[in-house]
Structure formats: structure tokens, C-alpha cells
Amino acid sequence: MHTATVRVCLSPAPGFCVKSSTLQPAVCKITAQSAQSLSKLDGPSQSALITPTPGILSLPKGIKVFVNIAWDANVPPPPEGSEETIQRAMKGEDETSFTTDGGWFVPVIVSEPRSDADKAGKPSVAFDCVYNSSLKSRTLRDPSFRAFLVELGLQRIEAQYSLLLSRQLGTPNIASKGKLLPRNVLVPLALYPSEHPLHDDTNKTKKPLVEELEPRTKLVEDISNKLKLVEEVETKSKGILRSGTVTTQKKECPKFEWVKEGDKLKITVHVPKLRSTHIPNATLDLESRRIILDAAPFYSLDVDLSLSDAQIMSVSGGASSDNSALTLKRQRDLDVDNATAEWHVGEGVLVILA
């Protein structure tokens, strides 16, 4: 279950800028291409924060962080919503989600961090938070909505780069810190309205949604917390593991995603290396705000939804790649008493309904 993405070209227009600072040291990963371009922009201060390790931006505690709020028509717009729904979202009273389940949310594209310098010439760092251009007019006339977009941008930066940012904000008298450059980004197609032209372009090359599969058999076993494990095994498959060939290795944090399926939350954990011989030793523990999976010798997952956004993204490993942990946090508690789990060994996934 993979979310379709489309490549979009952005040419952000500056809106306004706010100034914050880091509350603790942090290390941000950036692409090698970005690191190379940083050293060529705005003098030597651009590369002052890049460590000798390629693609790393090291941020000390207390460094200034500039956040550029920018606009581009190619960023997905928020879905239609009543004023009451929008106000609930602004107050944090509504369950917002980046899925297409009818919730109201505001998509934002966050740039990689880039090093810069403040007015005194001291190193600083800048981020761009790009919103759909349709939000600009309301931001100009509604100070509370402007504050909402700023807070949303700060939260997304914290989640994406495992930062903790101060909420004591300054408002520099500049439209943006540094020049906003064109960029290409990958955006989930589902964030765009159904009538958007991008859907038509994607449908031309879309693969069939249903494919004929080989017959399967199901083996049912009991595990902890009253869950059932259903192992799906291809009838024609043959095991490739031999006893004594598994060596000790560091466990990976598996990727996962979730969707709403009726009144359930469907969580799919990708564990492609697992075989039927590993399942008897695997354990799954569900709590109302936590998922713990130990699937030796390959995988270990611990998602604690009671943590802050930044803490969740810093400890969830592979799960942070699509922000699944962060969006799942905004949903209701997991229904532990009525939860079920299924191993789909042929597909390399564990499916949890809670």
C-alpha cells in the first residue's frame, strides 16, 4: 500500500518571515546537492554550519532560526470546510489528518534547512514553509489565521528535522530571509482535489488496482493482548532460510502507513524480510497510544503517540519518512480491546486494525 506521488515545480513567492531559535542542539540531514549549493550562496556564512560530514547541518542550542512563510499555487490547497471546522482546526480541537477522510487540514511544503547569517553576521539557519497561494488573502486580514500558519510551519519543521523551536518569536521587517529559489518536490497526489489536472495526467499511466493472485492458505495463531495473527503463505512458495544461517545484526525500524477503514484505523507495517519461521518468536504489544513490535532478527518498532511531535519523529526511524507517526498521533486512541493483527507473509506486511 503505497501513496502515489507527483513531481511538482515550485517558484515560491515570499510572504513574511518570523524568527525563532533552537531549544537544544540538533543535527539535520540535507542532500549532498543542497550542501554543495549552500557554500556558493551569500558568502562564507552559508557553509559555517556544515560539519565535515557531507550532507549534515549541525545546529547548536540557541541559534537563530528564520522561517519564511511563502506562497505557491502548485502547493495543494486545503480541502473545502465550513468556518466552524476551520476554527476548530485552528484551535487544535479537531482531528486533522493528511489523508482523504474528510478532515480539514492545511498542506505545507517545508524546505531543507540552509545556513545563513543574521544582521550581526552570526550564523543562523533558514527554512521555507510554502502554502497554497489561496491562503494569502486570509492571512493578511486575519491575524489568528496568520498565527495558525506560523505554528503549523514550526510544528512541521520540528517533526521533519527533529528540532525543538522556541515560541518566543520575532518578526523581522523582511519578506524572506534569503532568496526563495525554484525547486521540484514530490507531493502525495491524494492531497490535490479530484478535479485537479494532475489526477488526469496520473490516470493515463495508472496500473490496474486489482491483480489476480495465486491461491493462499491462512494459519491462525494466538498472541498477546488477545490479538490474532493470520499468516498468509503462498501455496507454491519455498523457504529459503536454513537453520544456523541467521547471524546477529542490528534490527531495522520498519516503515508503516495508516488509513481509516470504516470505524477502524488500519496500520500496515512493512516487514519484507520476515518468513513464516520467524513469526512464532515475534511479539506485538498494543496500547491506546503506543505500538511496540519486536520481530527478531530483523525489525523493531516502538511508536509512542503520547510524545511530542519532535520526539515522535526523532525515535520512529523509518516511520518518519512519510510522517505516518505524526499523522496517526492526531487520531483517536487505538481500540486495544477489539484490535486484530494479520501477518501477510507473501506481501511482507503486518496489518493491524485497531
Side-chain angles (χ1 to χ4, degrees):
M1 182 166 50
H2 299 283
T3 302
T5 58
V6 291
R7 186 173 297 276
V8 179
C9 181
L10 302 182
S11 297
F16 59 93
C17 180
V18 296
K19 180 176 63 176
S20 178
S21 61
T22 54
L23 295 178
Q24 64 182 29
V27 175
C28 299
K29 294 182 179 180
I30 58 177
T31 63
Q33 182 178 3
S34 295
Q36 183 179 9
S37 63
L38 292 179
S39 61
K40 300 178 181 179
L41 297 176
D42 298 338
S45 62
Q46 276 299 86
S47 58
L49 301 176
I50 300 179
T51 68
T53 303
I56 294 296
L57 198 64
S58 180
L59 306 182
K61 177 181 178 181
I63 192 171
K64 290 182 181 178
V65 176
F66 293 90
V67 179
N68 296 320
I69 304 299
W71 317 110
D72 194 293
N74 289 330
V75 175
E80 294 293 331
S82 65
E83 183 60 27
E84 180 182 0
T85 301
I86 295 174
Q87 289 295 331
R88 286 202 307 268
M90 290 170 58
K91 296 175 183 177
E93 299 173 354
D94 198 11
E95 289 186 347
T96 59
S97 150
F98 296 97
T99 61
T100 55
D101 56 9
W104 193 85
F105 59 93
V106 179
V108 54
I109 295 176
V110 176
S111 72
E112 288 193 335
R114 58 180 182 275
S115 58
D116 210 304
D118 63 12
K119 292 176 63 176
K122 296 181 179 179
S124 64
V125 67
F127 292 88
D128 303 331
C129 292
V130 189
Y131 297 93
N132 185 269
S133 302
S134 63
L135 302 176
K136 179 179 179 179
S137 58
R138 177 159 185 164
T139 305
L140 294 175
R141 69 175 187 271
D142 185 348
S144 61
F145 190 74
R146 173 188 172 111
F148 168 66
L149 293 189
V150 170
E151 175 61 25
L152 178 60
L154 292 172
Q155 290 184 13
R156 298 300 295 156
I157 292 171
E158 289 178 326
Q160 194 162 322
Y161 292 101
S162 301
L163 298 178
L164 287 178
L165 299 178
S166 172
R167 293 312 192 263
Q168 294 184 355
L169 304 178
T171 53
N173 189 25
I174 53 176
S176 68
K177 183 64 174 177
K179 185 178 180 180
L180 303 183
L181 300 176
R183 67 205 66 178
N184 292 319
V185 297
L186 289 175
V187 181
L189 183 62
L191 293 181
Y192 291 93
S194 57
E195 65 275 11
H196 197 280
L198 285 174
H199 285 279
D200 296 333
D201 294 339
T202 303
N203 287 335
K204 295 176 182 178
T205 57
K206 183 180 292 186
K207 296 182 178 180
L209 295 178
V210 180
E211 297 181 4
E212 185 175 354
L213 302 177
E214 294 287 339
R216 303 182 177 204
T217 60
K218 294 185 177 181
L219 306 175
V220 182
E221 297 179 359
D222 290 331
I223 62 170
S224 60
N225 288 341
K226 301 178 182 179
L227 300 180
K228 292 187 300 180
L229 292 180
V230 181
E231 178 188 356
E232 295 193 355
V233 185
E234 297 289 345
T235 56
K236 296 184 179 180
S237 64
K238 295 183 179 180
I240 60 173
L241 295 179
R242 298 180 180 178
S243 59
T245 61
V246 178
T247 57
T248 302
Q249 57 183 297
K250 184 178 179 181
K251 296 177 185 177
E252 300 176 19
C253 184
K255 295 183 179 180
F256 78 91
E257 65 261 351
W258 68 273
V259 295
K260 284 187 177 179
E261 190 169 279
D263 61 348
K264 294 287 188 179
L265 296 176
K266 181 179 180 181
I267 303 163
T268 303
V269 185
H270 294 270
V271 285
K273 296 179 182 179
L274 283 191
R275 298 295 181 264
S276 57
T277 54
H278 302 127
I279 291 178
N281 297 322
T283 60
L284 174 64
D285 182 19
L286 287 188
E287 302 174 9
S288 61
R289 302 297 292 168
R290 194 169 186 178
I291 305 170
I292 304 174
L293 171 67
D294 184 5
F298 299 113
Y299 301 105
S300 178
L301 176 68
D302 187 350
V303 180
D304 189 346
L305 303 175
S306 65
L307 299 176
S308 68
D309 288 358
Q311 289 172 317
I312 287 176
M313 301 308 288
S314 66
V315 302
S316 59
S320 67
S321 63
D322 57 3
N323 296 324
S324 295
L326 182 65
T327 56
L328 183 59
K329 174 186 175 180
R330 283 149 172 73
Q331 302 302 306
R332 59 164 174 77
D333 290 350
L334 300 177
D335 184 4
V336 177
D337 292 335
N338 299 305
T340 62
E342 296 182 356
W343 291 105
H344 296 234
V345 176
E347 299 174 8
V349 296
L350 168 64
V351 179
I352 304 168
L353 290 175

